[in-house]
Amino acid sequence: MHDVAELRRLGRLMQHIVLGVGLLIALAVIWLVLGVFGEQARFEGLVRNGLSLSGPLTFTPSAVGATIVLMAVQFGLLAAALYCVWRMFGAFAAEEPLSVESAHWLRRASLAFVAVAGGSIVLQALMILVLTLGNPPGQKALSIGFGSSELLALLIACVMYMAGRLMAVAAEVRAEQRDFV
């Protein structure tokens, strides 16, 4: 029983940490919007650094708008993933940590992190495409990058998914055992 109480305490602690991280990310996005989007040169520098590009980019109003929308989509995916992790830790902090609900939120979090990693690859390629569409012929670009960080994120998401499936089976077995007694 002591282990279950410790798991609940750790679940509550991790839920607070995830909430804090989520708030820090939201504050960073707000700071970014207020400090960078209003100044063209800073926005261009941020985009170039973020995409690791040095070639010609065209920052037309429509390209900037599309880039901002794509950044917002990426932030939305990350926010959804953090919400799922927050709910998962909340389920761990509940009366019965080993439950179908815990497994459900663990699987959802894993799928959300797959969306974050996959979205990062696709959205970055779309940003590059949008920002080079206004370039002269021969200078338009479509670049798809897949690095070790995306691979690691996908691997961890797959491990989380399998752990969620395993947890669901364990929760069902535990429920059956309780019905026996």
Side-chain angles (χ1 to χ4, degrees):
M1 191 65 171
H2 175 70
D3 292 334
V4 172
E6 181 66 21
L7 183 59
R8 280 192 219 128
R9 186 191 68 74
L10 187 59
R12 284 189 298 275
L13 174 66
M14 291 304 297
Q15 203 173 22
H16 292 309
I17 289 171
V18 169
L19 181 62
V21 167
L23 289 174
L24 285 174
I25 291 171
L27 287 173
V29 168
I30 290 169
W31 173 80
L32 187 70
V33 167
L34 295 177
V36 175
F37 287 150
E39 198 174 308
Q40 180 85 15
R42 287 180 71 187
F43 178 73
E44 288 181 23
L46 173 80
V47 170
R48 284 186 186 280
N49 287 337
L51 297 175
S52 300
L53 291 174
S54 60
L57 299 177
T58 307
F59 288 90
T60 63
S62 59
V64 169
T67 301
I68 291 171
V69 167
L70 293 170
M71 288 177 172
V73 169
Q74 184 67 24
F75 174 71
L77 291 172
L78 180 60
L82 288 175
Y83 175 75
C84 291
V85 170
W86 182 78
R87 288 292 305 262
M88 176 191 72
F89 285 128
F92 288 155
E95 189 65 34
E96 179 54 52
L98 182 60
S99 66
V100 174
E101 182 184 7
S102 299
H104 169 78
W105 284 108
L106 179 56
R107 281 195 314 264
R108 278 196 164 183
S110 69
L111 294 174
F113 281 117
V114 167
V116 168
S120 172
I121 295 165
V122 172
L123 293 171
Q124 198 169 33
L126 288 174
M127 279 184 217
I128 293 169
L129 180 63
V130 163
L131 291 169
T132 60
L133 278 177
N135 289 354
Q139 293 183 358
K140 293 172 177 53
L142 174 61
S143 174
I144 298 175
F146 187 82
S148 58
S149 60
E150 289 86 10
L151 183 62
L152 183 61
L154 288 171
L155 178 64
I156 291 171
C158 289
V159 169
M160 286 175 64
Y161 184 79
M162 288 305 297
R165 298 289 295 176
L166 181 63
M167 186 183 287
V169 170
E172 290 172 10
V173 168
R174 185 172 172 118
E176 286 178 14
Q177 288 175 343
R178 284 198 173 143
D179 290 342
F180 258 167
V181 177

